[in-house]
Amino acid sequence: MTHFLDFEKSLAEIEGKAEELRSLARADEAMDVEAEANALDEKAKKILISLYKNLSAWRKCQVARHVERPRCSDYIDNLFSEYKALAGDRKFADDQAIAGGLARFRDRPVVVIGNEKGSDTNSRIRHNFGMSRPEGYRKVVRLMNLANKFNLPVITIVDTPGAYPGKGAEQRGQSEAIASAIETSLRLEVPTLSVIVGEGGSGGAVALATANRIAMLEHAVYSVISPEGCASILWKDSERTREAAESLRLTAQDLASLDIIDQIIDEPLGGAHRNQDQTIANVGDAIANMLEQLADVDPETIVSQRRQKFLEMGKQRLVY
């Protein structure tokens, strides 16, 4: 671990002490610190269990945004073979905040699309921190139409704070591009499934998550607006961000209870960033399970089920 969240300070101290002891032992082979270091490891594990046993909505937001959390490219590299990236929207440009192309998932041909945030400063700037412009959503439409033409399931990996709100994006038709992506998703005659692996922010996420099956990682979040944006609009007070997070009902557990999502995917203790390999494997198993559920469903039913799924959302009365 190289980055700890603010509520993990006690954990950082214990793990830091254990690592310091082991570093001293590596420098001086005569030192025997393993027993003491192991005791610190056990203490750290207990703290980790306590911290993650019942995370608040705001803390889940922090975990979902963790800089070491697996990105879209990590899932593509590890879960898909023969991946061939397709670039551009054939109208304006290529938006690198959206990754997508043809691939095989466990030897089955598919189209995979996802929000790419980047993993370091340079790549985050290149991918615009996962915030897509209109050309990104038009690339999504192009890839979905390609999948429909060749009868390929569509798998989307959602991780975005939202669509890019810049002047240029608005001038090029941001809202229309998002609406077109949602409209295209609703009429696809092939199975579509979506996994929200980090942030699912606003219409920028819905454009990729209008699917037959929607799954979320345990500590991912999915909401119409960020807690910061909600607090700013409703109360003009950034100090109420935590209150906004609770009110938005944005956690996987809240959304499952409201029938917005279909499945919660377990994360390793301490979050996806603590064991990326296990997280990616869990997501792969969930994708395989969802594909199996849709394998023998005819196109007409695929379309009607998806439409009905979204028409039913919001009918359940919210109780706060």
Side-chain angles (χ1 to χ4, degrees), residues 248-262:
L248 285 168
R249 307 287 293 275
L250 45 65
T251 70
Q253 294 72 25
D254 283 332
L255 295 167
S257 71
L258 295 171
D259 295 327
I260 303 297
I261 66 169
D262 303 291

Side-chain angles (χ1 to χ4, degrees), residues 202 224-241 244 248:
S202 193
V224 69
I225 192 172
S226 70
E228 295 92 339
C230 178
S232 175
I233 291 171
L234 290 184
W235 302 300
K236 306 291 191 294
D237 185 358
S238 61
E239 296 298 318
R240 300 182 71 174
T241 296
L248 285 168

Side-chain angles (χ1 to χ4, degrees), residues 31-297:
M31 293 184 66
D32 184 7
V33 300
E34 200 57 31
E36 188 175 352
N38 287 339
L40 288 172
D41 288 342
E42 285 299 315
K43 185 175 181 180
K45 184 176 180 180
K46 290 179 181 178
I47 293 173
L48 191 63
I49 292 171
S50 176
L51 287 173
Y52 279 80
K53 186 176 181 180
N54 190 24
L55 288 177
S56 67
W58 173 241
R59 287 186 174 180
K60 281 186 178 284
C61 288
Q62 293 177 283
V63 176
R65 296 168 176 172
H66 198 287
V67 296
E68 295 173 11
R69 204 170 172 86
R71 302 302 179 199
C72 174
S73 55
D74 297 315
Y75 292 100
I76 291 176
D77 291 344
N78 288 278
L79 295 178
F80 299 87
S81 60
E82 300 180 38
Y83 174 64
K84 180 63 176 178
L86 299 178
D89 65 344
R90 299 298 187 265
K91 293 181 180 180
F92 182 76
D94 181 45
D95 185 352
Q96 295 194 44
I98 293 287
L102 302 167
R104 286 183 179 273
F105 175 78
R106 300 188 181 180
D107 207 36
R108 179 173 182 175
V110 298
V111 166
V112 58
I113 308 169
N115 307 107
E116 178 57 48
K117 282 185 171 181
S119 56
D120 55 33
T121 301
N122 289 334
S123 64
R124 288 182 191 120
I125 292 171
R126 184 169 68 254
H127 296 292
N128 201 34
F129 301 88
M131 295 185 291
S132 303
R133 297 175 171 88
E135 48 271 24
Y137 296 109
R138 291 179 179 128
K139 177 163 71 171
V140 169
V141 170
R142 175 186 162 224
L143 292 175
M144 287 182 173
N145 284 331
L146 185 70
N148 206 54
K149 180 177 180 179
F150 293 102
N151 195 30
L152 301 175
V154 175
I155 299 169
T156 65
I157 299 168
V158 180
D159 187 15
T160 178
Y164 183 62
K167 180 180 178 181
E170 294 300 326
Q171 289 174 332
R172 295 194 299 278
Q174 183 72 289
S175 59
E176 183 278 333
I178 292 171
S180 292
I182 295 171
E183 179 188 27
T184 301
S185 298
L186 286 171
R187 64 174 174 76
L188 292 179
E189 296 180 345
V190 296
T192 59
L193 55 94
S194 179
V195 183
I196 300 165
V197 298
E199 291 183 275
S202 193
V206 178
L208 271 69
T210 306
N212 291 96
R213 296 287 186 276
I214 306 170
M216 283 180 71
L217 279 173
E218 182 181 358
H219 302 311
V221 295
Y222 186 27
S223 176
V224 69
I225 192 172
S226 70
E228 295 92 339
C230 178
S232 175
I233 291 171
L234 290 184
W235 302 300
K236 306 291 191 294
D237 185 358
S238 61
E239 296 298 318
R240 300 182 71 174
T241 296
R242 289 167 175 77
E243 181 182 348
E246 294 292 340
S247 299
L248 285 168
R249 307 287 293 275
L250 45 65
T251 70
Q253 294 72 25
D254 283 332
L255 295 167
S257 71
L258 295 171
D259 295 327
I260 303 297
I261 66 169
D262 303 291
Q263 181 180 350
I264 298 174
I265 305 171
D266 291 338
E267 295 188 28
L269 177 63
H273 53 280
R274 282 193 164 259
N275 191 334
Q276 292 196 11
D277 291 343
Q278 184 60 58
T279 301
I280 292 169
N282 290 353
V283 169
D285 290 341
I287 290 173
N289 180 54
M290 290 188 287
L291 277 176
E292 182 63 28
Q293 293 173 13
L294 299 169
D296 299 321
V297 184

